Amino acid sequence: MKRASGSPEKPKKRTRVPAGKEQLSLQAIHQIKEVGKQTHLRATKTRETYSRHIRQARSWLQSHFPAEGTPRIPAHTEDESDIYADPGFKDAFGQVPNQCSDKALALYLSWRGFQEDCSQSTVDGIRAAFKMLWNEADGTIFRGDWHHNDARHRWEGNPVLSAEVSDIVASIRHKVSSQGAERTHSGAMKKEYMDRILTWSESQCSLHIPFQCIHLAMTEQQVLHPGEFLDKDVKLKITRHLQHLGCAATAFTLWTRNYELVKLKRRDVNLDRTVVDRVFMKYLKGEEQSLTINDLNVYFEIHLKNRKGWQRKLDKGMKEADLRSNHYRVYPRPDMGGACDAFLRLVLWMKWVELVHLGRPMADEDFLFPALGANGVLQPGQPLSHDTVQKWIDEAVAGAGIHGTFSTHCYRRGGAQYRFMFAPVGQRWTLARVRWWGGWAEGEHRDTLMRYLLDELHCYENDHSDALRPVSREANGSFAGKAALARPASTEALHMAHMSLTADMAALTADVAALHTTVKENMKVMRQQIGTLVARTATPAAPMHSASHSSSIASLACQRSSAALSTIQPAPMPIGLQPTRLSVPQLVQPSGAPPGGFVSSPSHVGPQRTTGTRTHTHTHAYAYTRTRIRTSNLPPGLLIPNVPVLRADGTRTPKSDSWRDIVRHWTEGEPRLGLHVPLKDWPHHYYNGPYGRQFNTKHYQRSVVATEFLDEFQGDEDTFLKAYGGAAREGHTKLLKAILGARKQHRGNGERRSRLANEPQRT
């Protein structure tokens, strides 16, 4: 057959016949249908819970029947014994119900609710499990009310919906809610409770250590791995507290249920390490309150894959906007405080795990909050257990002095109530936003949201327990008492505030006056003693002798002034408070002294040398000038003295005594050198704030030497020198290396004291 001229030739398409592909039988397709329905009809967590309830019920029923199949029950009346003697009674909890299923389920619910005293939620779970089991049995025969079909001579409907089972469930509900029943549902974890728990955690362990270690590691200043110098028990305690604080902040922010939280994996957190680390570094330096607008807009995203209710949204037809309903962006929130700032707590926890425990970045399949073994070893492939989280909550609320019953659900309740009612005015969320953030379905407005928010709001607005409060919060006059926060202050309120400020100022004035009197008396004593010593001078060499003794007397007098100051104001001196500068009349003026009749000193009268070479004087002046230049840009009172310590006469203490000076600086301070606050009492921002680069490493090194002597050797100088005497004689640097090496080799409490003290001294 010829083709028409001019028509292009087109290749024919061959029909592809599937080669070797067998057609599935109807039985195989039926099996696929059943497996798919079992797998995807309900969430995995729901299927697991229901299966557990059914297994327990079947085990209970079979325990009442011996091998031959007769029930192991006492004698009953004739009407009662008929049903129990029925051969089908032992199969009442089968996949397909029989005529005995409703009676057997009623017995089991009665035993669990009345005898075992199970909660209402447990009874409801058992009922729902059997309802699901029998709804799916044999098509639609066992759906609807339980009844006997006389025409077909069979039982139909669901035994769960029988009258007897319904009566038992109602009876148990009445029992639980009867008068005098204890309220057992979890209280809400308020923001102020979170702050108190953080304060308690800081009192239990040194939470500044993670900040310090991570800061050094991120700035590439870390010499030793933290696990090499941290005691095992200390590391375990810090890890437990950091993990609990991280869990609490995340759950409070995202309103997660416990199983949603502990199932989070590293792959569920999407963050840009470069950008996040830049902001996190400011937290480590104590500069979180000075974050810029760009810093505050940095975030990382968490995907809650196991959020409850996602299948219900699918059933109702998920919209495009709902596709991100379980994705949450976490921003820096320093205004929320250290306890509720999920950005800080989660990044800090991840850095600690990677640096101290894993020694590598977390893998995608690693759980974000892994299980922690008794030996302090993290199990990255095993999630944190519910019992562990509950145990931590119980310990925290008891330690912080918080009263009430708190379960793992307390963070979800507390976070939702805070955003809806208790956040600052202008930051509270609408009900629509609350519903979206909590993952609640639209149909849950009337029950779940009512229970979480509106019932609590009703109790808050109708609570008159503070009727005697001087200034009423008027909670029932507006939404959550908003009017009392936004209205102008009344004359009475201003008068009360004025009285309070006046009382505080009067107390402060009295303290300053007492301080002034004490300093004035000490100055008078100093002048008298210096004058007496000068009057007794009769030899040419006396000026130097007098000046030397005068400086020691003046130093003693100023120490008395410092002691008086500490009795009036026991709190540590703030960075911005300058030490008192005293002016002392110079009665004997040495050679080379500046003209004028007075010498000014921050806390003591400086040595005035009348003899000696010009070279020594020049060297001393150069050292003083160099120190002044190096510390001139620091706030007054913020310094760590160098060791060996510079004496008043320009010489330094022996190297063998440097460790003693370090211990004194750690426990008492050194006001003569400007260290008014002991190093052990320094707040975190002193050595991790704007000047952290200058003090972070130095403060840590001082803590290693001091705590080794005070804690490990319990202040026993002889034993300490037996262990480290050779290194101590060579100075504090050699001693520091010896201690770090010993900690790496002997990590147990008291182990270094018992072993090193009995070994030959190291040289």
Side-chain angles (χ1 to χ4, degrees):
M1 183 177 183
K2 296 183 179 181
R3 297 179 180 272
S5 61
S7 61
E9 296 183 359
K10 295 182 179 179
K12 295 183 179 180
K13 295 182 179 179
R14 296 181 179 180
T15 304
R16 295 183 178 180
V17 180
K21 188 174 181 180
E22 299 180 358
Q23 186 175 7
L24 296 178
S25 64
L26 296 178
Q27 290 79 5
I29 298 176
H30 175 77
Q31 185 66 24
I32 293 174
K33 180 199 73 171
E34 294 299 325
V35 172
K37 186 169 64 174
Q38 291 294 328
T39 305
H40 302 291
L41 182 61
R42 287 176 177 82
T44 304
K45 183 69 175 181
T46 303
R47 294 199 311 271
E48 292 175 354
T49 303
Y50 286 178
S51 298
R52 185 181 71 253
H53 285 317
I54 293 173
R55 286 196 305 270
Q56 292 174 350
R58 288 173 174 171
S59 176
W60 171 85
L61 183 60
Q62 295 303 319
S63 67
H64 289 79
F65 288 88
E68 60 272 14
T70 57
R72 190 184 304 154
I73 56 175
H76 294 273
T77 62
E78 182 177 355
D79 295 337
E80 292 176 335
S81 60
D82 289 344
I83 185 65
Y84 300 124
D86 192 315
F89 196 86
K90 64 183 180 66
D91 299 322
F93 291 159
Q95 195 72 22
V96 176
N98 57 28
Q99 68 277 10
C100 305
S101 295
D102 59 329
K103 302 293 190 299
L105 182 59
L107 285 178
Y108 181 65
L109 291 176
S110 300
W111 177 69
R112 294 299 302 271
F114 298 126
Q115 181 66 26
E116 295 293 315
D117 201 22
C118 292
S119 63
Q120 181 66 46
S121 60
T122 301
V123 174
D124 291 339
I126 297 171
R127 180 178 178 274
F130 277 100
K131 184 177 180 181
M132 179 200 71
L133 174 68
W134 290 326
N135 273 343
E136 298 174 357
D138 200 4
T140 60
I141 296 177
F142 300 106
R143 296 193 179 191
D145 294 336
W146 181 248
H147 64 282
H148 185 267
N149 189 329
D150 296 333
R152 298 185 177 182
H153 305 286
R154 67 182 184 186
W155 286 90
E156 296 179 354
N158 199 314
V160 174
L161 301 180
S162 66
E164 187 163 3
V165 172
S166 299
D167 289 344
I168 293 299
V169 172
S171 300
I172 295 174
R173 184 177 294 109
H174 294 164
K175 166 186 171 292
V176 172
S177 60
S178 61
Q179 185 176 3
E182 183 180 359
R183 185 180 181 182
T184 57
H185 71 262
S186 174
M189 181 61 69
K190 301 180 180 179
K191 182 181 179 298
E192 51 265 35
Y193 293 168
M194 299 275 288
D195 296 335
R196 289 167 61 179
I197 289 175
L198 175 60
T199 302
W200 170 78
S201 292
E202 290 175 340
S203 69
Q204 296 298 304
C205 63
S206 301
L207 291 183
H208 68 276
I209 293 180
F211 284 86
Q212 185 175 1
C213 293
I214 296 172
H215 180 267
L216 292 176
M218 293 180 66
T219 55
E220 299 182 354
Q221 300 180 24
Q222 185 68 54
V223 179
L224 294 176
H225 189 276
E228 298 179 357
F229 61 81
L230 279 180
D231 182 79
K232 183 177 68 174
D233 295 336
V234 174
K235 184 176 73 172
L236 176 60
K237 180 176 288 188
I238 291 175
T239 300
R240 288 183 56 190
H241 281 272
L242 284 182
Q243 189 170 20
H244 175 228
L245 292 173
C247 288
T250 306
F252 184 87
T253 302
L254 303 184
W255 311 352
T256 58
R257 301 167 181 87
N258 185 70
Y259 72 88
E260 297 171 350
L261 179 68
V262 299
K263 287 188 175 182
L264 280 174
K265 293 186 176 181
R266 176 60 183 86
R267 67 164 181 256
D268 299 325
V269 181
N270 182 20
L271 57 82
D272 186 335
R273 285 186 176 271
T274 303
V275 179
V276 171
D277 286 355
R278 175 176 56 81
V279 178
F280 182 63
M281 180 61 71
K282 294 189 176 183
Y283 277 96
L284 297 179
K285 295 180 179 179
E287 301 174 358
E288 63 272 13
Q289 297 300 330
S290 60
L291 293 178
T292 64
I293 296 179
N294 291 333
D295 294 335
L296 293 173
N297 281 280
V298 171
Y299 68 89
F300 58 83
E301 188 172 89
I302 297 180
H303 180 202
L304 289 180
K305 297 176 61 177
N306 297 287
R307 180 65 109 180
K308 179 182 177 182
W310 64 272
Q311 282 191 333
R312 186 182 298 114
K313 291 182 179 181
L314 286 174
D315 294 340
K316 293 184 177 180
M318 180 177 288
K319 304 175 184 177
E320 186 68 24
D322 292 332
L323 292 176
R324 297 188 55 82
S325 60
N326 54 353
H327 291 257
Y328 300 86
R329 295 179 179 180
V330 179
Y331 292 84
R333 291 302 302 267
D335 57 308
M336 291 290 292
C340 300
D341 190 349
F343 185 95
L344 165 65
R345 287 296 156 195
L346 197 54
V347 176
L348 178 64
W349 166 247
M350 293 170 62
K351 295 286 186 184
W352 179 257
V353 170
E354 294 175 347
L355 176 65
V356 177
H357 290 275
L358 300 182
R360 59 168 175 80
M362 297 180 70
D364 288 344
E365 292 303 317
D366 289 345
F367 282 97
L368 199 59
F369 298 105
L372 183 64
N375 56 354
V377 178
L378 281 181
Q379 308 294 331
Q382 182 178 351
L384 199 63
S385 67
H386 175 277
D387 293 340
T388 301
V389 177
Q390 185 62 57
K391 178 183 177 182
W392 289 350
I393 294 175
D394 294 340
E395 291 177 354
V397 297
I402 301 172
H403 301 288
T405 301
F406 298 90
S407 70
T408 57
H409 216 64
C410 63
Y411 300 113
R412 181 171 170 84
R413 292 178 58 86
Q417 292 179 12
Y418 174 79
R419 287 297 177 188
F420 185 67
M421 295 183 293
F422 302 125
V425 176
Q427 299 183 22
R428 297 172 184 173
W429 290 359
T430 63
L431 195 62
R433 177 172 291 183
V434 168
R435 182 196 65 79
W436 189 98
W437 193 264
W440 286 296
E442 295 181 1
E444 289 178 313
H445 275 248
R446 294 185 179 180
D447 43 26
T448 307
L449 287 182
M450 183 75 70
R451 192 164 58 248
Y452 269 77
L453 305 175
L454 302 184
D455 284 351
E456 191 78 17
L457 177 62
H458 176 77
C459 296
Y460 175 78
E461 293 183 346
N462 290 276
D463 178 17
H464 302 282
S465 60
D466 63 346
L468 298 178
R469 186 178 181 180
V471 179
S472 175
R473 58 187 174 92
E474 298 181 4
N476 59 345
S478 61
F479 178 76
K482 181 178 180 180
L485 300 175
R487 72 181 181 188
S490 63
T491 304
E492 181 182 3
L494 292 176
H495 179 67
M496 294 176 61
H498 179 266
M499 292 178 60
S500 178
L501 290 175
T502 302
D504 292 341
M505 289 299 298
L508 180 61
T509 302
D511 291 343
V512 173
L515 175 62
H516 176 73
T517 302
T518 303
V519 173
K520 187 175 181 180
E521 292 177 353
N522 289 334
M523 289 294 300
K524 183 178 180 181
V525 173
M526 288 170 57
R527 293 189 181 97
Q528 291 176 353
Q529 293 178 347
I530 294 174
T532 301
L533 288 174
V534 173
R536 294 177 180 177
T537 303
T539 62
M544 176 181 176
H545 180 75
S546 300
S548 176
H549 281 273
S550 299
S551 64
S552 61
I553 294 173
S555 177
L556 176 62
C558 286
Q559 290 179 7
R560 292 175 56 188
S561 301
S562 301
L565 176 62
S566 64
T567 58
I568 295 174
Q569 183 67 23
M573 180 180 291
I575 294 179
L577 180 61
Q578 298 186 8
T580 306
R581 305 186 67 87
L582 308 178
S583 296
V584 183
Q586 184 68 22
L587 301 181
V588 179
Q589 183 169 334
S591 61
F598 298 94
V599 176
S600 178
S601 172
S603 61
H604 67 286
V605 178
Q608 303 296 331
R609 302 179 61 84
T610 58
T611 62
T613 63
R614 294 174 57 86
T615 303
H616 177 78
T617 304
H618 174 74
T619 304
H620 185 199
Y622 171 73
Y624 173 76
T625 304
R626 183 178 59 182
T627 303
R628 292 281 295 179
I629 292 174
R630 186 171 61 249
T631 61
S632 59
N633 61 337
L634 299 178
L638 182 59
L639 62 88
I640 299 179
N642 292 326
V643 288
V645 172
L646 182 66
R647 291 170 174 164
D649 60 358
T651 62
R652 292 188 179 273
T653 58
K655 285 186 176 182
S656 59
D657 290 337
S658 293
W659 72 272
R660 295 186 177 90
D661 295 328
I662 290 175
V663 173
R664 185 172 67 257
H665 295 166
W666 183 262
T667 58
E668 302 174 8
E670 189 79 28
R672 181 178 66 86
L673 301 177
L675 180 61
H676 297 273
V677 181
L679 294 179
K680 68 179 180 64
D681 296 329
W682 273 30
H684 178 264
H685 64 272
Y686 272 32
Y687 51 88
N688 263 313
Y691 310 101
R693 184 180 297 275
Q694 303 182 40
F695 298 115
N696 195 302
T697 303
K698 201 170 184 179
H699 184 275
Y700 163 72
Q701 292 174 349
R702 297 294 194 266
S703 70
V704 170
V705 176
T707 55
E708 183 74 7
F709 173 71
L710 297 172
D711 298 339
E712 177 66 20
F713 288 84
Q714 301 177 2
D716 188 342
E717 183 172 335
D718 294 336
T719 308
F720 183 77
L721 291 178
K722 287 181 180 179
Y724 300 113
R729 284 193 296 271
E730 299 185 26
H732 68 286
T733 303
K734 192 73 173 181
L735 177 61
L736 175 65
K737 293 181 179 179
I739 293 175
L740 292 177
R743 287 187 175 184
K744 183 178 179 180
Q745 186 176 3
H746 308 291
R747 301 189 179 189
N749 290 334
E751 185 177 355
R752 295 187 294 280
R753 182 184 182 189
S754 61
R755 292 193 178 186
L756 298 181
N758 297 324
E759 294 179 357
Q761 293 188 6
R762 302 179 181 180
T763 59

PDB file of all heavy atoms in Angstrom, residues 619-634:
ATOM      1  N   THR A 619      60.819  50.507  86.892  1.00  0.00           N
ATOM      2  CA  THR A 619      60.185  49.229  86.556  1.00  0.00           C
ATOM      3  C   THR A 619      58.834  49.079  87.232  1.00  0.00           C
ATOM      4  O   THR A 619      57.853  48.637  86.624  1.00  0.00           O
ATOM      5  CB  THR A 619      61.102  48.068  86.970  1.00  0.00           C
ATOM      6  OG1 THR A 619      62.357  48.239  86.335  1.00  0.00           O
ATOM      7  CG2 THR A 619      60.495  46.734  86.579  1.00  0.00           C
ATOM      8  N   HIS A 620      58.770  49.456  88.504  1.00  0.00           N
ATOM      9  CA  HIS A 620      57.505  49.388  89.235  1.00  0.00           C
ATOM     10  C   HIS A 620      56.463  50.307  88.618  1.00  0.00           C
ATOM     11  O   HIS A 620      55.293  49.942  88.439  1.00  0.00           O
ATOM     12  CB  HIS A 620      57.755  49.761  90.695  1.00  0.00           C
ATOM     13  CG  HIS A 620      56.535  49.615  91.549  1.00  0.00           C
ATOM     14  ND1 HIS A 620      56.401  50.227  92.765  1.00  0.00           N
ATOM     15  CD2 HIS A 620      55.393  48.924  91.346  1.00  0.00           C
ATOM     16  CE1 HIS A 620      55.228  49.925  93.294  1.00  0.00           C
ATOM     17  NE2 HIS A 620      54.604  49.131  92.445  1.00  0.00           N
ATOM     18  N   ALA A 621      56.890  51.518  88.248  1.00  0.00           N
ATOM     19  CA  ALA A 621      55.951  52.462  87.635  1.00  0.00           C
ATOM     20  C   ALA A 621      55.472  51.955  86.283  1.00  0.00           C
ATOM     21  O   ALA A 621      54.298  52.091  85.929  1.00  0.00           O
ATOM     22  CB  ALA A 621      56.622  53.832  87.484  1.00  0.00           C
ATOM     23  N   TYR A 622      56.374  51.317  85.534  1.00  0.00           N
ATOM     24  CA  TYR A 622      55.986  50.787  84.223  1.00  0.00           C
ATOM     25  C   TYR A 622      54.962  49.661  84.360  1.00  0.00           C
ATOM     26  O   TYR A 622      53.990  49.595  83.610  1.00  0.00           O
ATOM     27  CB  TYR A 622      57.216  50.294  83.493  1.00  0.00           C
ATOM     28  CG  TYR A 622      56.895  49.537  82.226  1.00  0.00           C
ATOM     29  CD1 TYR A 622      56.442  50.208  81.084  1.00  0.00           C
ATOM     30  CD2 TYR A 622      57.016  48.145  82.180  1.00  0.00           C
ATOM     31  CE1 TYR A 622      56.135  49.512  79.938  1.00  0.00           C
ATOM     32  CE2 TYR A 622      56.711  47.457  81.039  1.00  0.00           C
ATOM     33  CZ  TYR A 622      56.274  48.145  79.920  1.00  0.00           C
ATOM     34  OH  TYR A 622      55.958  47.449  78.780  1.00  0.00           O
ATOM     35  N   ALA A 623      55.208  48.778  85.353  1.00  0.00           N
ATOM     36  CA  ALA A 623      54.260  47.671  85.571  1.00  0.00           C
ATOM     37  C   ALA A 623      52.902  48.200  85.977  1.00  0.00           C
ATOM     38  O   ALA A 623      51.859  47.718  85.529  1.00  0.00           O
ATOM     39  CB  ALA A 623      54.808  46.724  86.643  1.00  0.00           C
ATOM     40  N   TYR A 624      52.899  49.231  86.821  1.00  0.00           N
ATOM     41  CA  TYR A 624      51.618  49.804  87.262  1.00  0.00           C
ATOM     42  C   TYR A 624      50.902  50.450  86.075  1.00  0.00           C
ATOM     43  O   TYR A 624      49.693  50.291  85.888  1.00  0.00           O
ATOM     44  CB  TYR A 624      51.878  50.819  88.365  1.00  0.00           C
ATOM     45  CG  TYR A 624      50.650  51.590  88.785  1.00  0.00           C
ATOM     46  CD1 TYR A 624      49.682  50.988  89.586  1.00  0.00           C
ATOM     47  CD2 TYR A 624      50.456  52.899  88.375  1.00  0.00           C
ATOM     48  CE1 TYR A 624      48.553  51.686  89.973  1.00  0.00           C
ATOM     49  CE2 TYR A 624      49.334  53.591  88.747  1.00  0.00           C
ATOM     50  CZ  TYR A 624      48.379  52.989  89.553  1.00  0.00           C
ATOM     51  OH  TYR A 624      47.260  53.675  89.928  1.00  0.00           O
ATOM     52  N   THR A 625      51.666  51.192  85.249  1.00  0.00           N
ATOM     53  CA  THR A 625      51.059  51.854  84.096  1.00  0.00           C
ATOM     54  C   THR A 625      50.508  50.835  83.106  1.00  0.00           C
ATOM     55  O   THR A 625      49.422  50.999  82.558  1.00  0.00           O
ATOM     56  CB  THR A 625      52.095  52.743  83.409  1.00  0.00           C
ATOM     57  OG1 THR A 625      52.624  53.659  84.367  1.00  0.00           O
ATOM     58  CG2 THR A 625      51.485  53.513  82.242  1.00  0.00           C
ATOM     59  N   ARG A 626      51.243  49.752  82.875  1.00  0.00           N
ATOM     60  CA  ARG A 626      50.786  48.721  81.935  1.00  0.00           C
ATOM     61  C   ARG A 626      49.496  48.082  82.413  1.00  0.00           C
ATOM     62  O   ARG A 626      48.586  47.830  81.635  1.00  0.00           O
ATOM     63  CB  ARG A 626      51.873  47.674  81.778  1.00  0.00           C
ATOM     64  CG  ARG A 626      51.543  46.588  80.756  1.00  0.00           C
ATOM     65  CD  ARG A 626      52.684  45.615  80.615  1.00  0.00           C
ATOM     66  NE  ARG A 626      52.973  45.002  81.901  1.00  0.00           N
ATOM     67  CZ  ARG A 626      53.963  44.124  82.077  1.00  0.00           C
ATOM     68  NH1 ARG A 626      54.751  43.794  81.064  1.00  0.00           N
ATOM     69  NH2 ARG A 626      54.174  43.595  83.267  1.00  0.00           N
ATOM     70  N   THR A 627      49.404  47.836  83.726  1.00  0.00           N
ATOM     71  CA  THR A 627      48.171  47.261  84.276  1.00  0.00           C
ATOM     72  C   THR A 627      47.007  48.221  84.116  1.00  0.00           C
ATOM     73  O   THR A 627      45.889  47.825  83.787  1.00  0.00           O
ATOM     74  CB  THR A 627      48.376  46.911  85.761  1.00  0.00           C
ATOM     75  OG1 THR A 627      49.476  46.034  85.872  1.00  0.00           O
ATOM     76  CG2 THR A 627      47.136  46.248  86.335  1.00  0.00           C
ATOM     77  N   ARG A 628      47.271  49.508  84.347  1.00  0.00           N
ATOM     78  CA  ARG A 628      46.213  50.501  84.214  1.00  0.00           C
ATOM     79  C   ARG A 628      45.712  50.575  82.770  1.00  0.00           C
ATOM     80  O   ARG A 628      44.526  50.686  82.525  1.00  0.00           O
ATOM     81  CB  ARG A 628      46.735  51.871  84.657  1.00  0.00           C
ATOM     82  CG  ARG A 628      47.031  51.962  86.136  1.00  0.00           C
ATOM     83  CD  ARG A 628      45.774  52.169  86.933  1.00  0.00           C
ATOM     84  NE  ARG A 628      45.174  53.446  86.607  1.00  0.00           N
ATOM     85  CZ  ARG A 628      44.040  53.883  87.149  1.00  0.00           C
ATOM     86  NH1 ARG A 628      43.400  53.130  88.006  1.00  0.00           N
ATOM     87  NH2 ARG A 628      43.544  55.056  86.816  1.00  0.00           N
ATOM     88  N   ILE A 629      46.627  50.504  81.809  1.00  0.00           N
ATOM     89  CA  ILE A 629      46.216  50.578  80.413  1.00  0.00           C
ATOM     90  C   ILE A 629      45.381  49.366  80.037  1.00  0.00           C
ATOM     91  O   ILE A 629      44.375  49.463  79.340  1.00  0.00           O
ATOM     92  CB  ILE A 629      47.458  50.678  79.518  1.00  0.00           C
ATOM     93  CG1 ILE A 629      48.156  52.031  79.749  1.00  0.00           C
ATOM     94  CG2 ILE A 629      47.088  50.520  78.053  1.00  0.00           C
ATOM     95  CD1 ILE A 629      49.469  52.160  79.025  1.00  0.00           C
ATOM     96  N   ARG A 630      45.779  48.192  80.535  1.00  0.00           N
ATOM     97  CA  ARG A 630      45.067  46.968  80.165  1.00  0.00           C
ATOM     98  C   ARG A 630      43.665  46.921  80.762  1.00  0.00           C
ATOM     99  O   ARG A 630      42.758  46.344  80.190  1.00  0.00           O
ATOM    100  CB  ARG A 630      45.882  45.762  80.612  1.00  0.00           C
ATOM    101  CG  ARG A 630      45.301  44.433  80.161  1.00  0.00           C
ATOM    102  CD  ARG A 630      46.234  43.271  80.428  1.00  0.00           C
ATOM    103  NE  ARG A 630      46.523  43.109  81.830  1.00  0.00           N
ATOM    104  CZ  ARG A 630      47.694  43.340  82.396  1.00  0.00           C
ATOM    105  NH1 ARG A 630      48.709  43.771  81.656  1.00  0.00           N
ATOM    106  NH2 ARG A 630      47.901  43.169  83.702  1.00  0.00           N
ATOM    107  N   THR A 631      43.477  47.499  81.933  1.00  0.00           N
ATOM    108  CA  THR A 631      42.185  47.406  82.625  1.00  0.00           C
ATOM    109  C   THR A 631      41.407  48.709  82.597  1.00  0.00           C
ATOM    110  O   THR A 631      40.373  48.800  83.241  1.00  0.00           O
ATOM    111  CB  THR A 631      42.401  46.993  84.090  1.00  0.00           C
ATOM    112  OG1 THR A 631      43.210  47.997  84.734  1.00  0.00           O
ATOM    113  CG2 THR A 631      43.110  45.659  84.177  1.00  0.00           C
ATOM    114  N   SER A 632      41.891  49.703  81.861  1.00  0.00           N
ATOM    115  CA  SER A 632      41.222  50.996  81.895  1.00  0.00           C
ATOM    116  C   SER A 632      39.855  50.958  81.251  1.00  0.00           C
ATOM    117  O   SER A 632      39.003  51.775  81.569  1.00  0.00           O
ATOM    118  CB  SER A 632      42.094  52.044  81.192  1.00  0.00           C
ATOM    119  OG  SER A 632      42.325  51.655  79.840  1.00  0.00           O
ATOM    120  N   ASN A 633      39.624  50.027  80.347  1.00  0.00           N
ATOM    121  CA  ASN A 633      38.339  49.957  79.676  1.00  0.00           C
ATOM    122  C   ASN A 633      37.361  49.029  80.368  1.00  0.00           C
ATOM    123  O   ASN A 633      36.299  48.747  79.834  1.00  0.00           O
ATOM    124  CB  ASN A 633      38.534  49.488  78.234  1.00  0.00           C
ATOM    125  CG  ASN A 633      39.151  48.108  78.161  1.00  0.00           C
ATOM    126  OD1 ASN A 633      39.806  47.675  79.098  1.00  0.00           O
ATOM    127  ND2 ASN A 633      38.934  47.431  77.046  1.00  0.00           N
ATOM    128  N   LEU A 634      37.691  48.518  81.550  1.00  0.00           N
ATOM    129  CA  LEU A 634      36.808  47.616  82.276  1.00  0.00           C
ATOM    130  C   LEU A 634      36.034  48.375  83.323  1.00  0.00           C
ATOM    131  O   LEU A 634      36.507  49.384  83.860  1.00  0.00           O
ATOM    132  CB  LEU A 634      37.616  46.499  82.955  1.00  0.00           C
ATOM    133  CG  LEU A 634      38.409  45.586  82.025  1.00  0.00           C
ATOM    134  CD1 LEU A 634      39.193  44.584  82.858  1.00  0.00           C
ATOM    135  CD2 LEU A 634      37.495  44.880  81.068  1.00  0.00           C
TER     136      LEU A 634
END
